[in-house]
Amino acid sequence: METLLVVDDDLGIQKQLKWSFSDYEVVFADDRQSAIAQLRRFEPKVVTLDLGLPPDPANASEGLEALAEILNLAPQTKVIVVTGNNDKENALKAVQLGAYDFYQKPIDSDTIRILVSRAMTLFDLEQENRQLVQSQPAMGRIIGSSDAIQQASRRAEKIAQTDVSTLLLGESGTGKEVFARSIHDLSARRNKPFVAINCASIPENLLESELFGYEKGAFTGANKTTPGKIETAQGGTLFLDEIGDMPIGLQAKMLRFLQERIIERVGGRQEIPVDIRVVCATHRDLSSMVAEQTFREDLFYRVSEITIRIPPLRERGSDVVLLARTFLGAYKDEYGSKVKGFSEAAIEAMMQHRWPGNIRELQNKLKSAVILAEGNLIQADDLGLITGEASTMQNINLREVREEAESRAIRQAWHLAEQNMSKTAELLGITRPTLYSLIDKYRLDDIKPSS
């Protein structure tokens, strides 16, 4: 039975609505404070809210405050505001603030039943759509089902079809180039070149000629005219990795290119138009560098029209196990290993390790483990990891903590059981029907068995 929260201090109206909504579990609140308490406790999909609440029932100020607080705590909740017969102005103001609809007294049971029913249906449709979006991978190259990586993937997917300059922020080894390539693959430029250059790996005196190219005779050793990385990316995507390491003297020339989309080779005078999409990445704090005047402010705003933060591996939960299994499949073939999977201790160690080197560190440890492992299963020692104390949850909402813990346990057991559902249920100490019910409940579509 669906729950409906009625916020109204009029006992007569409370009784009328309780009778009108006999098919719902109706809970009541008579002021703002009790409304918020009931909202937290019952998490209703729909709330009817009288704007004239005590201590100032003659005005709508307390009701509008309650509306704002409800929408701040539960933005998906549908709020139907109830106002006096001559208070249309505040009703419209409430809708502007985010209320689903409004209704003016006197209350007609049939009409308000229709409003609540429509609001319930809309809530369910929106929730189903959100869950569907979350269950579908956004970008083919990106491996992971955690909220953190899915959020970054969705953001990248949205901007892929545009030519907006994009800045990827993330620690070393988080997969910034993989994101850049994914953006390119989803863009209209996918059939044109993807050219990457690491600004930190090339000596300062050579970076300009690498980027912009050079004319024959421009400097000693320039025996022929050579196009630079920018020019060779014509029509496609240029990925400037570690742009925070670009010398300050070269930044002015880069800014001119980004503004005017023309370049001049070193030693040349001809202006060459270039049509490319630019994606930049860095592990540095460019805002601080701007304040310290080691990175140009105008260039910073030019390269960061859209910014995407790529989460470190330690923030991605069970994604580490999913990534490890993916890499293991490739490495065991590459090195002719008979390793089949990971021990329970190895999975626990991977889940608890902080991964300061992120995905690159995981790849390195897996390569050595595949080569050195003596049994069919990789042990924690093979990875060079030891188990430690699990991190403390910050969430104190019991329902959400329970859902998060159960979802994590199901995924971990599923990986440990090598995707065998019977064994997964056995490891969890539950029946298979219960396991399937939990998978449906928590929308764990990435491990849901195909029908």
Side-chain angles (χ1 to χ4, degrees), residues 3 25 27 35-44 397 399:
T3 300
E25 180 184 353
V27 293
I36 299 306
Q38 296 287 63
L39 180 79
R40 289 182 182 275
R41 181 180 178 187
F42 293 98
E43 297 181 344
N397 181 290
R399 180 185 59 80

Side-chain angles (χ1 to χ4, degrees), residues 6 10-21 28 109:
V6 173
D10 187 321
L11 291 178
I13 289 179
Q14 287 188 9
K15 289 180 180 179
Q16 180 184 355
L17 291 179
K18 187 174 181 63
W19 175 81
S20 299
F21 292 103
F28 296 98
S109 296

